[in-house]
Amino acid sequence: MDRILKAARTSGSLNLSNRSLRDVPNEVYKNFDEAGEGDKWWEAVDLQKLILAHNNIEKLKEDLRNLPLLTVLNVSHNKLSELPAAIGELHMLKSLDVSFNSIMKIPDEIGSATALVKFDCSSNQLKELPSSLGRCLNLSDFKASNNCITSLPEDLADCSKMSKLDVEGNKLTVLSNNLIASWTMLTELIASKNLLNGMPETIGSLSRLIRLDLHQNRILSIPSSISGCCSLAEFYMGNNALSALPAELGKLSKLGTLDLHSNQLKEYCVEACQLRLSVLDLSNNSLSGLPPEIGKMTTLRKLLLTGNPLRTLRSSLVNGPTPALLKYLRSRLPENEDSEASTTKEDLITMATRLSVTSKELSLEGMNLSAIPSEIWEAGEITKLDLSRNSIQELPPELSSCASLQTLILSRNKIKDWPDAILTSLSSLSCLKLDNNPLRQVPSDGFKDIPMLQILDLSYNIASLPENPPFSSLPHLQELYLRRMQLREAPTDILRLQQLRILDLSQNSLQSIPEGFKNLTSLTELDLSDNNISALPPELVSV
């Protein structure tokens, strides 16, 4: 503890999470005023970031006011029943996380923490929110899910910078027109699992809204003003009491996912057949038939219809593949409309990019691409990119801009050169799959820029490894796949991978296994099939 506190005196950041603490150490409240013997007091800085998550702390003292420069405070997953009034004296505080406690009331003084940008008070025992929260004019990311809140204070309308609001799992009966009209910057609104009996008419003022989740409420209808949500990509209205859909729904040109399961819909309006959806869930409604115009929705990859009294469609169609159902519906169109609607590659790319805005995952698998489309760079901070089963030969320099990328799948393409220039910028990469490419050579230092890698697949890249592949540059590697690479010897550098769990060396030309495999204490799967090994060393029995 002393070592951690000493380091915090110079960094201004203190992380005491997961330490079974029942109280906050007094030294923290003193803001390190009393430097230890030998400390360089002139190098000490005020505490700016304090993480106390996942402990057993029951109380924060009013001495919290002694940390006036605190910008981040995280006391989530503790046993707090209240917050001190001193929280309002932290005028520099930007991020406050008090989630997963037993707090029954947020003190009015919170309104004096006017620098607050992000506030998470989810999973507590709150019945109301203080009106003073409306004085936090910079508040943009507010999460109060899984409480017992019955209404939102009207003063929150002053928080005009609100961009993300999550109040799922409360007892809200209404979202006021005034509040919704004031939050024109909203991109995500999650109010599912409440007691809402309607949607505000002002919902159409949210032109920047990307995700709207109101599932599991008591909503009877969707207002026609929904057409104003022109950026909406995901709309979840399952488990409500909808009996009809407004024609204006068809104007949401960017909508990719529409969830309407478990309502009371008797028909799907023809106007909504104009949508370029990827997912449409109509299961568990009262649909007796479908408009044949749905057949024109050729971007649909998943159409869910189970649990409806459909009398005009065979069960094999309802439960079968979506393309077959769409083709059947198109055949029911009048002759002058029975055009074999086709979805262009550009349409599919646009839809995939649109869906990645909130999921942060983009899949362009099997689209017969010879180059990576420029739309990818508009997709925001994606964490997973799947470009497998295409004909891509080179990776563009723009891929370097995806600094948040964690998973890059390039399997089954035509990549010949190791993408070292790209990997230099992808320091967060944890999964790289380059199997089934005509890679000519992996450089001897090819792994140095991706030290956080946990999964690597180079299978079916025949003779692409250097003589001594530098696997020791990947200390966190857990899965390594080297199938069918014409290996005559198992790379000895593998023996340094202490976290390796899965190793696949199948379909090679190995004649023996090097000593030392018993040192791979984390190994749970080892595949040596289809090699020329005549005998296994006894030590493998203990691996």
Side-chain angles (χ1 to χ4, degrees), residues 11-41:
S11 68
S13 178
L14 178 59
N15 188 340
L16 295 177
S17 58
N18 286 294
R19 292 183 174 272
S20 301
L21 297 177
R22 297 183 64 87
D23 298 290
V24 180
N26 285 326
E27 294 90 339
V28 176
Y29 291 123
K30 293 178 181 178
N31 204 5
F32 313 133
D33 284 341
E34 299 175 6
E37 184 178 352
D39 288 347
K40 298 179 180 179
W41 57 266

PDB file of all heavy atoms in Angstrom, residues 11-41:
ATOM      1  N   SER A  11       2.141  10.840  -9.653  1.00  0.00           N
ATOM      2  CA  SER A  11       1.326  10.646 -10.863  1.00  0.00           C
ATOM      3  C   SER A  11      -0.021  11.356 -10.782  1.00  0.00           C
ATOM      4  O   SER A  11      -0.625  11.684 -11.804  1.00  0.00           O
ATOM      5  CB  SER A  11       1.090   9.162 -11.109  1.00  0.00           C
ATOM      6  OG  SER A  11       0.251   8.606 -10.115  1.00  0.00           O
ATOM      7  N   GLY A  12      -0.513  11.569  -9.546  1.00  0.00           N
ATOM      8  CA  GLY A  12      -1.827  12.180  -9.388  1.00  0.00           C
ATOM      9  C   GLY A  12      -2.960  11.199  -9.618  1.00  0.00           C
ATOM     10  O   GLY A  12      -4.130  11.578  -9.655  1.00  0.00           O
ATOM     11  N   SER A  13      -2.619   9.903  -9.771  1.00  0.00           N
ATOM     12  CA  SER A  13      -3.624   8.875 -10.022  1.00  0.00           C
ATOM     13  C   SER A  13      -3.449   7.737  -9.021  1.00  0.00           C
ATOM     14  O   SER A  13      -2.339   7.232  -8.829  1.00  0.00           O
ATOM     15  CB  SER A  13      -3.479   8.351 -11.455  1.00  0.00           C
ATOM     16  OG  SER A  13      -4.403   7.320 -11.710  1.00  0.00           O
ATOM     17  N   LEU A  14      -4.549   7.314  -8.389  1.00  0.00           N
ATOM     18  CA  LEU A  14      -4.492   6.273  -7.369  1.00  0.00           C
ATOM     19  C   LEU A  14      -5.565   5.221  -7.643  1.00  0.00           C
ATOM     20  O   LEU A  14      -6.758   5.532  -7.693  1.00  0.00           O
ATOM     21  CB  LEU A  14      -4.700   6.874  -5.982  1.00  0.00           C
ATOM     22  CG  LEU A  14      -4.706   5.901  -4.798  1.00  0.00           C
ATOM     23  CD1 LEU A  14      -3.397   5.135  -4.711  1.00  0.00           C
ATOM     24  CD2 LEU A  14      -4.973   6.648  -3.487  1.00  0.00           C
ATOM     25  N   ASN A  15      -5.148   3.982  -7.826  1.00  0.00           N
ATOM     26  CA  ASN A  15      -6.066   2.872  -8.076  1.00  0.00           C
ATOM     27  C   ASN A  15      -5.981   1.880  -6.927  1.00  0.00           C
ATOM     28  O   ASN A  15      -4.985   1.181  -6.763  1.00  0.00           O
ATOM     29  CB  ASN A  15      -5.717   2.190  -9.401  1.00  0.00           C
ATOM     30  CG  ASN A  15      -6.762   1.149  -9.809  1.00  0.00           C
ATOM     31  OD1 ASN A  15      -7.535   0.670  -8.980  1.00  0.00           O
ATOM     32  ND2 ASN A  15      -6.775   0.800 -11.081  1.00  0.00           N
ATOM     33  N   LEU A  16      -7.047   1.823  -6.121  1.00  0.00           N
ATOM     34  CA  LEU A  16      -7.111   0.907  -4.987  1.00  0.00           C
ATOM     35  C   LEU A  16      -8.260  -0.080  -5.154  1.00  0.00           C
ATOM     36  O   LEU A  16      -8.870  -0.519  -4.187  1.00  0.00           O
ATOM     37  CB  LEU A  16      -7.286   1.688  -3.685  1.00  0.00           C
ATOM     38  CG  LEU A  16      -6.123   2.597  -3.269  1.00  0.00           C
ATOM     39  CD1 LEU A  16      -6.457   3.360  -2.000  1.00  0.00           C
ATOM     40  CD2 LEU A  16      -4.849   1.781  -3.066  1.00  0.00           C
ATOM     41  N   SER A  17      -8.571  -0.439  -6.393  1.00  0.00           N
ATOM     42  CA  SER A  17      -9.675  -1.365  -6.644  1.00  0.00           C
ATOM     43  C   SER A  17      -9.290  -2.792  -6.274  1.00  0.00           C
ATOM     44  O   SER A  17      -8.116  -3.150  -6.247  1.00  0.00           O
ATOM     45  CB  SER A  17     -10.084  -1.306  -8.125  1.00  0.00           C
ATOM     46  OG  SER A  17      -8.984  -1.622  -8.958  1.00  0.00           O
ATOM     47  N   ASN A  18     -10.316  -3.595  -5.951  1.00  0.00           N
ATOM     48  CA  ASN A  18     -10.129  -5.021  -5.644  1.00  0.00           C
ATOM     49  C   ASN A  18      -9.126  -5.263  -4.519  1.00  0.00           C
ATOM     50  O   ASN A  18      -8.240  -6.106  -4.628  1.00  0.00           O
ATOM     51  CB  ASN A  18      -9.683  -5.779  -6.903  1.00  0.00           C
ATOM     52  CG  ASN A  18     -10.806  -5.967  -7.902  1.00  0.00           C
ATOM     53  OD1 ASN A  18     -11.770  -6.671  -7.630  1.00  0.00           O
ATOM     54  ND2 ASN A  18     -10.684  -5.312  -9.041  1.00  0.00           N
ATOM     55  N   ARG A  19      -9.278  -4.537  -3.419  1.00  0.00           N
ATOM     56  CA  ARG A  19      -8.356  -4.716  -2.293  1.00  0.00           C
ATOM     57  C   ARG A  19      -9.084  -5.035  -0.983  1.00  0.00           C
ATOM     58  O   ARG A  19      -8.489  -4.945   0.090  1.00  0.00           O
ATOM     59  CB  ARG A  19      -7.482  -3.471  -2.114  1.00  0.00           C
ATOM     60  CG  ARG A  19      -6.495  -3.286  -3.266  1.00  0.00           C
ATOM     61  CD  ARG A  19      -5.586  -2.100  -3.064  1.00  0.00           C
ATOM     62  NE  ARG A  19      -4.579  -2.058  -4.118  1.00  0.00           N
ATOM     63  CZ  ARG A  19      -3.408  -2.671  -4.072  1.00  0.00           C
ATOM     64  NH1 ARG A  19      -3.081  -3.363  -2.998  1.00  0.00           N
ATOM     65  NH2 ARG A  19      -2.565  -2.613  -5.079  1.00  0.00           N
ATOM     66  N   SER A  20     -10.352  -5.384  -1.100  1.00  0.00           N
ATOM     67  CA  SER A  20     -11.153  -5.753   0.082  1.00  0.00           C
ATOM     68  C   SER A  20     -11.157  -4.662   1.145  1.00  0.00           C
ATOM     69  O   SER A  20     -11.223  -4.943   2.352  1.00  0.00           O
ATOM     70  CB  SER A  20     -10.627  -7.073   0.686  1.00  0.00           C
ATOM     71  OG  SER A  20     -10.681  -8.120  -0.263  1.00  0.00           O
ATOM     72  N   LEU A  21     -11.085  -3.416   0.723  1.00  0.00           N
ATOM     73  CA  LEU A  21     -11.078  -2.298   1.659  1.00  0.00           C
ATOM     74  C   LEU A  21     -12.461  -2.076   2.268  1.00  0.00           C
ATOM     75  O   LEU A  21     -13.470  -2.110   1.575  1.00  0.00           O
ATOM     76  CB  LEU A  21     -10.643  -1.005   0.946  1.00  0.00           C
ATOM     77  CG  LEU A  21      -9.231  -0.966   0.356  1.00  0.00           C
ATOM     78  CD1 LEU A  21      -9.021   0.355  -0.372  1.00  0.00           C
ATOM     79  CD2 LEU A  21      -8.185  -1.149   1.444  1.00  0.00           C
ATOM     80  N   ARG A  22     -12.501  -1.831   3.577  1.00  0.00           N
ATOM     81  CA  ARG A  22     -13.751  -1.463   4.245  1.00  0.00           C
ATOM     82  C   ARG A  22     -13.853   0.044   4.418  1.00  0.00           C
ATOM     83  O   ARG A  22     -14.945   0.588   4.580  1.00  0.00           O
ATOM     84  CB  ARG A  22     -13.846  -2.158   5.604  1.00  0.00           C
ATOM     85  CG  ARG A  22     -13.886  -3.675   5.527  1.00  0.00           C
ATOM     86  CD  ARG A  22     -14.053  -4.291   6.903  1.00  0.00           C
ATOM     87  NE  ARG A  22     -15.333  -3.923   7.506  1.00  0.00           N
ATOM     88  CZ  ARG A  22     -16.467  -4.585   7.311  1.00  0.00           C
ATOM     89  NH1 ARG A  22     -16.483  -5.645   6.516  1.00  0.00           N
ATOM     90  NH2 ARG A  22     -17.579  -4.204   7.908  1.00  0.00           N
ATOM     91  N   ASP A  23     -12.704   0.701   4.394  1.00  0.00           N
ATOM     92  CA  ASP A  23     -12.657   2.158   4.519  1.00  0.00           C
ATOM     93  C   ASP A  23     -11.618   2.710   3.558  1.00  0.00           C
ATOM     94  O   ASP A  23     -10.689   2.008   3.154  1.00  0.00           O
ATOM     95  CB  ASP A  23     -12.279   2.580   5.949  1.00  0.00           C
ATOM     96  CG  ASP A  23     -13.313   2.109   6.973  1.00  0.00           C
ATOM     97  OD1 ASP A  23     -14.423   2.654   6.953  1.00  0.00           O
ATOM     98  OD2 ASP A  23     -12.991   1.200   7.760  1.00  0.00           O
ATOM     99  N   VAL A  24     -11.779   3.970   3.215  1.00  0.00           N
ATOM    100  CA  VAL A  24     -10.770   4.652   2.408  1.00  0.00           C
ATOM    101  C   VAL A  24      -9.624   5.048   3.335  1.00  0.00           C
ATOM    102  O   VAL A  24      -9.853   5.668   4.382  1.00  0.00           O
ATOM    103  CB  VAL A  24     -11.371   5.911   1.744  1.00  0.00           C
ATOM    104  CG1 VAL A  24     -10.316   6.609   0.897  1.00  0.00           C
ATOM    105  CG2 VAL A  24     -12.582   5.540   0.896  1.00  0.00           C
ATOM    106  N   PRO A  25      -8.398   4.704   2.997  1.00  0.00           N
ATOM    107  CA  PRO A  25      -7.265   5.069   3.849  1.00  0.00           C
ATOM    108  C   PRO A  25      -7.219   6.580   4.113  1.00  0.00           C
ATOM    109  O   PRO A  25      -7.442   7.388   3.202  1.00  0.00           O
ATOM    110  CB  PRO A  25      -6.047   4.617   3.035  1.00  0.00           C
ATOM    111  CG  PRO A  25      -6.563   3.523   2.164  1.00  0.00           C
ATOM    112  CD  PRO A  25      -7.961   3.909   1.822  1.00  0.00           C
ATOM    113  N   ASN A  26      -6.952   6.953   5.352  1.00  0.00           N
ATOM    114  CA  ASN A  26      -6.928   8.380   5.723  1.00  0.00           C
ATOM    115  C   ASN A  26      -5.917   9.165   4.917  1.00  0.00           C
ATOM    116  O   ASN A  26      -6.085  10.358   4.666  1.00  0.00           O
ATOM    117  CB  ASN A  26      -6.634   8.531   7.219  1.00  0.00           C
ATOM    118  CG  ASN A  26      -7.848   8.183   8.066  1.00  0.00           C
ATOM    119  OD1 ASN A  26      -8.981   8.432   7.652  1.00  0.00           O
ATOM    120  ND2 ASN A  26      -7.614   7.597   9.224  1.00  0.00           N
ATOM    121  N   GLU A  27      -4.826   8.489   4.502  1.00  0.00           N
ATOM    122  CA  GLU A  27      -3.798   9.179   3.724  1.00  0.00           C
ATOM    123  C   GLU A  27      -4.367   9.740   2.418  1.00  0.00           C
ATOM    124  O   GLU A  27      -3.880  10.741   1.898  1.00  0.00           O
ATOM    125  CB  GLU A  27      -2.646   8.223   3.394  1.00  0.00           C
ATOM    126  CG  GLU A  27      -1.852   7.749   4.606  1.00  0.00           C
ATOM    127  CD  GLU A  27      -2.420   6.485   5.214  1.00  0.00           C
ATOM    128  OE1 GLU A  27      -3.613   6.191   4.969  1.00  0.00           O
ATOM    129  OE2 GLU A  27      -1.672   5.786   5.928  1.00  0.00           O
ATOM    130  N   VAL A  28      -5.407   9.078   1.900  1.00  0.00           N
ATOM    131  CA  VAL A  28      -6.025   9.543   0.659  1.00  0.00           C
ATOM    132  C   VAL A  28      -6.724  10.874   0.882  1.00  0.00           C
ATOM    133  O   VAL A  28      -6.571  11.820   0.111  1.00  0.00           O
ATOM    134  CB  VAL A  28      -7.022   8.502   0.120  1.00  0.00           C
ATOM    135  CG1 VAL A  28      -7.744   9.032  -1.120  1.00  0.00           C
ATOM    136  CG2 VAL A  28      -6.304   7.193  -0.209  1.00  0.00           C
ATOM    137  N   TYR A  29      -7.498  10.962   1.952  1.00  0.00           N
ATOM    138  CA  TYR A  29      -8.221  12.197   2.253  1.00  0.00           C
ATOM    139  C   TYR A  29      -7.282  13.363   2.545  1.00  0.00           C
ATOM    140  O   TYR A  29      -7.610  14.521   2.312  1.00  0.00           O
ATOM    141  CB  TYR A  29      -9.136  11.994   3.458  1.00  0.00           C
ATOM    142  CG  TYR A  29     -10.301  11.080   3.208  1.00  0.00           C
ATOM    143  CD1 TYR A  29     -10.506   9.940   3.992  1.00  0.00           C
ATOM    144  CD2 TYR A  29     -11.221  11.341   2.192  1.00  0.00           C
ATOM    145  CE1 TYR A  29     -11.586   9.103   3.782  1.00  0.00           C
ATOM    146  CE2 TYR A  29     -12.309  10.505   1.971  1.00  0.00           C
ATOM    147  CZ  TYR A  29     -12.488   9.390   2.773  1.00  0.00           C
ATOM    148  OH  TYR A  29     -13.552   8.567   2.547  1.00  0.00           O
ATOM    149  N   LYS A  30      -6.099  13.031   3.079  1.00  0.00           N
ATOM    150  CA  LYS A  30      -5.138  14.087   3.405  1.00  0.00           C
ATOM    151  C   LYS A  30      -4.443  14.636   2.166  1.00  0.00           C
ATOM    152  O   LYS A  30      -3.637  15.573   2.273  1.00  0.00           O
ATOM    153  CB  LYS A  30      -4.089  13.543   4.384  1.00  0.00           C
ATOM    154  CG  LYS A  30      -4.648  13.208   5.760  1.00  0.00           C
ATOM    155  CD  LYS A  30      -3.575  12.620   6.668  1.00  0.00           C
ATOM    156  CE  LYS A  30      -4.149  12.268   8.026  1.00  0.00           C
ATOM    157  NZ  LYS A  30      -3.110  11.652   8.914  1.00  0.00           N
ATOM    158  N   ASN A  31      -4.781  14.015   1.012  1.00  0.00           N
ATOM    159  CA  ASN A  31      -4.208  14.482  -0.253  1.00  0.00           C
ATOM    160  C   ASN A  31      -2.691  14.451  -0.237  1.00  0.00           C
ATOM    161  O   ASN A  31      -2.019  15.283  -0.849  1.00  0.00           O
ATOM    162  CB  ASN A  31      -4.706  15.877  -0.597  1.00  0.00           C
ATOM    163  CG  ASN A  31      -4.627  16.161  -2.083  1.00  0.00           C
ATOM    164  OD1 ASN A  31      -4.286  15.277  -2.872  1.00  0.00           O
ATOM    165  ND2 ASN A  31      -4.928  17.377  -2.465  1.00  0.00           N
ATOM    166  N   PHE A  32      -2.142  13.487   0.551  1.00  0.00           N
ATOM    167  CA  PHE A  32      -0.696  13.264   0.617  1.00  0.00           C
ATOM    168  C   PHE A  32       0.056  14.481   1.136  1.00  0.00           C
ATOM    169  O   PHE A  32       1.179  14.749   0.741  1.00  0.00           O
ATOM    170  CB  PHE A  32      -0.136  12.884  -0.768  1.00  0.00           C
ATOM    171  CG  PHE A  32      -0.933  11.826  -1.466  1.00  0.00           C
ATOM    172  CD1 PHE A  32      -1.297  11.978  -2.797  1.00  0.00           C
ATOM    173  CD2 PHE A  32      -1.330  10.683  -0.804  1.00  0.00           C
ATOM    174  CE1 PHE A  32      -2.033  11.003  -3.449  1.00  0.00           C
ATOM    175  CE2 PHE A  32      -2.070   9.703  -1.443  1.00  0.00           C
ATOM    176  CZ  PHE A  32      -2.419   9.872  -2.762  1.00  0.00           C
ATOM    177  N   ASP A  33      -0.589  15.290   1.990  1.00  0.00           N
ATOM    178  CA  ASP A  33       0.090  16.481   2.510  1.00  0.00           C
ATOM    179  C   ASP A  33       1.334  16.114   3.299  1.00  0.00           C
ATOM    180  O   ASP A  33       2.337  16.830   3.292  1.00  0.00           O
ATOM    181  CB  ASP A  33      -0.858  17.280   3.427  1.00  0.00           C
ATOM    182  CG  ASP A  33      -1.886  18.054   2.613  1.00  0.00           C
ATOM    183  OD1 ASP A  33      -1.630  18.252   1.414  1.00  0.00           O
ATOM    184  OD2 ASP A  33      -2.915  18.453   3.179  1.00  0.00           O
ATOM    185  N   GLU A  34       1.252  14.961   3.966  1.00  0.00           N
ATOM    186  CA  GLU A  34       2.377  14.554   4.802  1.00  0.00           C
ATOM    187  C   GLU A  34       3.273  13.618   3.997  1.00  0.00           C
ATOM    188  O   GLU A  34       3.062  12.410   3.947  1.00  0.00           O
ATOM    189  CB  GLU A  34       1.873  13.852   6.058  1.00  0.00           C
ATOM    190  CG  GLU A  34       0.976  14.760   6.914  1.00  0.00           C
ATOM    191  CD  GLU A  34       0.398  14.008   8.092  1.00  0.00           C
ATOM    192  OE1 GLU A  34       0.792  12.839   8.298  1.00  0.00           O
ATOM    193  OE2 GLU A  34      -0.434  14.564   8.808  1.00  0.00           O
ATOM    194  N   ALA A  35       4.220  14.182   3.312  1.00  0.00           N
ATOM    195  CA  ALA A  35       5.135  13.358   2.505  1.00  0.00           C
ATOM    196  C   ALA A  35       5.977  12.488   3.405  1.00  0.00           C
ATOM    197  O   ALA A  35       6.391  12.894   4.479  1.00  0.00           O
ATOM    198  CB  ALA A  35       6.023  14.256   1.652  1.00  0.00           C
ATOM    199  N   GLY A  36       6.206  11.258   2.956  1.00  0.00           N
ATOM    200  CA  GLY A  36       7.006  10.337   3.741  1.00  0.00           C
ATOM    201  C   GLY A  36       8.464  10.737   3.764  1.00  0.00           C
ATOM    202  O   GLY A  36       8.933  11.552   2.965  1.00  0.00           O
ATOM    203  N   GLU A  37       9.184  10.157   4.673  1.00  0.00           N
ATOM    204  CA  GLU A  37      10.600  10.448   4.804  1.00  0.00           C
ATOM    205  C   GLU A  37      11.339  10.081   3.519  1.00  0.00           C
ATOM    206  O   GLU A  37      11.172   9.002   2.979  1.00  0.00           O
ATOM    207  CB  GLU A  37      11.166   9.658   5.988  1.00  0.00           C
ATOM    208  CG  GLU A  37      12.632   9.973   6.258  1.00  0.00           C
ATOM    209  CD  GLU A  37      13.169   9.210   7.458  1.00  0.00           C
ATOM    210  OE1 GLU A  37      12.365   8.574   8.160  1.00  0.00           O
ATOM    211  OE2 GLU A  37      14.391   9.252   7.666  1.00  0.00           O
ATOM    212  N   GLY A  38      12.125  10.980   3.021  1.00  0.00           N
ATOM    213  CA  GLY A  38      12.881  10.735   1.797  1.00  0.00           C
ATOM    214  C   GLY A  38      12.115  11.106   0.540  1.00  0.00           C
ATOM    215  O   GLY A  38      12.671  11.095  -0.544  1.00  0.00           O
ATOM    216  N   ASP A  39      10.797  11.403   0.648  1.00  0.00           N
ATOM    217  CA  ASP A  39      10.024  11.782  -0.531  1.00  0.00           C
ATOM    218  C   ASP A  39      10.438  13.161  -1.015  1.00  0.00           C
ATOM    219  O   ASP A  39      10.827  14.028  -0.242  1.00  0.00           O
ATOM    220  CB  ASP A  39       8.527  11.809  -0.217  1.00  0.00           C
ATOM    221  CG  ASP A  39       7.961  10.412  -0.050  1.00  0.00           C
ATOM    222  OD1 ASP A  39       8.675   9.467  -0.413  1.00  0.00           O
ATOM    223  OD2 ASP A  39       6.819  10.283   0.428  1.00  0.00           O
ATOM    224  N   LYS A  40      10.357  13.344  -2.300  1.00  0.00           N
ATOM    225  CA  LYS A  40      10.631  14.668  -2.880  1.00  0.00           C
ATOM    226  C   LYS A  40       9.331  15.455  -2.879  1.00  0.00           C
ATOM    227  O   LYS A  40       8.534  15.400  -3.806  1.00  0.00           O
ATOM    228  CB  LYS A  40      11.172  14.502  -4.307  1.00  0.00           C
ATOM    229  CG  LYS A  40      12.491  13.730  -4.360  1.00  0.00           C
ATOM    230  CD  LYS A  40      12.968  13.574  -5.796  1.00  0.00           C
ATOM    231  CE  LYS A  40      14.280  12.814  -5.869  1.00  0.00           C
ATOM    232  NZ  LYS A  40      14.751  12.626  -7.274  1.00  0.00           N
ATOM    233  N   TRP A  41       9.101  16.216  -1.789  1.00  0.00           N
ATOM    234  CA  TRP A  41       7.824  16.901  -1.623  1.00  0.00           C
ATOM    235  C   TRP A  41       7.535  17.888  -2.749  1.00  0.00           C
ATOM    236  O   TRP A  41       6.394  18.134  -3.099  1.00  0.00           O
ATOM    237  CB  TRP A  41       7.800  17.626  -0.271  1.00  0.00           C
ATOM    238  CG  TRP A  41       8.940  18.621  -0.093  1.00  0.00           C
ATOM    239  CD1 TRP A  41      10.136  18.391   0.495  1.00  0.00           C
ATOM    240  CD2 TRP A  41       8.961  19.976  -0.543  1.00  0.00           C
ATOM    241  NE1 TRP A  41      10.924  19.504   0.449  1.00  0.00           N
ATOM    242  CE2 TRP A  41      10.234  20.507  -0.170  1.00  0.00           C
ATOM    243  CE3 TRP A  41       8.051  20.801  -1.203  1.00  0.00           C
ATOM    244  CZ2 TRP A  41      10.603  21.817  -0.453  1.00  0.00           C
ATOM    245  CZ3 TRP A  41       8.414  22.115  -1.474  1.00  0.00           C
ATOM    246  CH2 TRP A  41       9.677  22.611  -1.096  1.00  0.00           C
TER     247      TRP A  41
END
